[in-house]
Amino acid sequence: MSDVSGLPEDMKKAYGTASSTPSAEPSPHSRSAIIDSSPWHGLWALTNRELKKWYKNPVILLLSLIQPVLWLGLFGKAMNFNAIFTDGAFSIPGLDIPKEVINQLGNMLMLNVFGTSDYFSFLAVGMLSFIVIFTAMFSGMSIVWDRRLGTLNKVMSTPVARGSIVMSKILSSVIRSIVQAAIILVLAVLFGLSTTGITPLGVLGTFTSLALLSFGFSSIFLMLALRSTNQNTQMAIVNLLNLPLLFGSNALFPAGFMPEWLQAFVKVNPISYATDIGRQLLLGAGGMASLAFDFAYLAAFAAAFSAIGIVLSWRFLTK
Amino acid sequence: MTESVSLKYETNVAVGIDAGNLSMNHIIQVRELSKSFNGTTRAVDGISFEVYEGEIFGFLGPNGAGKTTTISMLTTLLRPTSGSATICGFDILKEPNEVRKRIGVVPQEYTADEDLTGYENIMFCADLYGIPRRISRERAAELLQLVELESAKDRKVETYSGGMRRRLELACGLINHPQVLFLDEPTLGLDVQTRAAVWQYIRRLKDEYGMTLFLTTHYLEEADSLCDRIAIIDHGKIVRIGSPKELKDSLGGDIIELGIQENDKEEDPTLLILGVEHVKEVKRVGPAEYRIKSELGEVTAPMIIHRLISNGYHVSKISLMRPTLDQVYLELTGKSIREENGDQTQFRRQRATLRRARS
């Protein structure tokens, strides 16, 4: 216990000033002199804490990759549309159509429907959006956990900006999404994604769009979790929105062949725009909208919802 | 410091606190503070009190009395429904960030991240206060030494015992060198030895740094041995406030029980005993048995015996009981076992804390 006597003077001095009168000489060690009062202090510390939990636990990273990989393998490879339409997969009785013609027709059919002659590549780009959405959906869970464990209260009793608390969760979700999407892209290339049209600029553009998508969706799911103390509610919301969001986009199928009402939903679903950017930049496929419009739509989506998220956090984090 | 001091004065003027309350040694001032949940349950019901600078102030009460709600409001986690409070001269509602800079909070739960090491956890807290690395490294080392966790600092928190976790929480709460440290049930679930160690740290913070400590507890002996002043809170209201001694004295002093063989004259000795200084009440509780309520029992008892003997009585036995805080507490809060007030979150957190403390 005697070790306290060895504490440096400044600690004692700091406490000494606490009991002095307000007219006392300002101490160089006083609190206000050393506390960084920029509104964003602590943002990186909070983000880093989230990320550390993630990269220090590789099992979770691997598990989160399994599902999109399964989709790629099962859906992308099993739904072998190319084989269905080419190489004598079908013939019309009584007509002797040359194989080349059938192959030609098949390729044209594929290009017409999917914008690329290979469904696996089409789906792989969709999966990039899929993993982003999936990560974003669970970003709300961490705030529910923090509330339950009391960590949120601990953080809120410090001068960290309330906006930083929410922003750190959004940022960590964005970073995680990007890393996971990059792994999925590499795996997809290994599985046979056509690399002919891939350029560094295209990859950069694609990941920018994915980051914007993640920003917007992470904000939405965090907002839903701001006051929640029950992770089961969060799970239910995730399960409810998961499939409609994915199937109500062009991630799995081209929107052109969907019924009108579904097309209307696909057109407002930001997932469609991120996927559209990926297909245009990575596969050289014809797009649903111009690149400029796609980016503008995603940027507006990200900006609007992260702004709403921060405003709500000012209001609703404190009960 | 100059900047914050001038701010402090502006605040006081702006809020319009009258001159009488401006006295600098009231580090916490609470005025008619109330909190209702869902518009009906009044968890805290118009409490007012002051905490003096440099004292250990205890908030004592049964579960669900409003202790944690009060501490949550003072640490700016909960918005009061009505009323106000200032800490270090700053209003908890109008300038919560100024309050947050000056307080440290050791919550009831173990909030440290299990996946990170003790050192990483402390540095995380330092970053939340925006303390530059150069200073926070130095402070983290000091605090780890203070709570005797130096040797365990690079171990993951999941390997820590309950006592070590509590000490780590304490170190985290001190990283910004707070003027007021709030401790919510600091010894919940700890064994006797660890509890004694935590008390020792708390006393040291007060003695060596003149820090003001505000703690809640439902352990009576903890409040009795640690606190300079205690507020007993029940059903959201403060029912008594004072030093442990004042509270005990409020019961009316010590209890002296005497066995008296009555003399030949068969006179009741009650009047005789009542004549002794400090005696307040005499009751015959059985044949030849008397219960006397008196101040300064250890002085009064010999005087009573002396008087009885010199008047021909024979004193066959004596017992002296000092009032305990338990008696005060039970008298003020009643003896009935409390119904849990249905606060699931609170219950869950306490359970989690206990579970981890024992792991």
Side-chain angles (χ1 to χ4, degrees), chain A residues 1 7-8 11 15 18-19 22 31-32 34 36 41 45 49 53 147-148 150 154 158-160 318-319, chain B residues 1 9 53 77 79 97 100 105 111 113 124 127-130 132 139 142 177-179 204 209 348-349:
Chain A
M1 294 287 173
L7 287 179
M11 193 167 176
Y15 289 123
S19 54
R31 266 157 232 99
S32 39
I34 53 151
D36 171 14
H41 82 264
R49 168 177 168 264
K53 286 188 185 185
R147 196 184 273 293
R148 283 184 75 119
K154 168 83 198 167
T158 70
V160 155
T318 308
K319 284 193 178 174
Chain B
M1 196 69 190
Y9 269 104
E53 188 157 359
L77 300 178
R79 281 195 201 93
N97 252 342
R100 288 173 195 137
V105 181
T111 58
D113 222 305
F124 170 65
D127 288 343
L128 294 179
Y129 285 98
R139 281 193 189 174
E142 286 163 13
H177 285 184
Q179 294 180 31
R204 198 194 291 171
Y209 308 122
R348 210 162 44 214
R349 283 188 179 160

Side-chain angles (χ1 to χ4, degrees), chain A residues 89-102:
Chain A
F90 68 92
S91 60
I92 301 166
L95 281 176
D96 184 25
I97 305 169
K99 214 175 164 185
E100 298 81 54
V101 176
I102 288 184

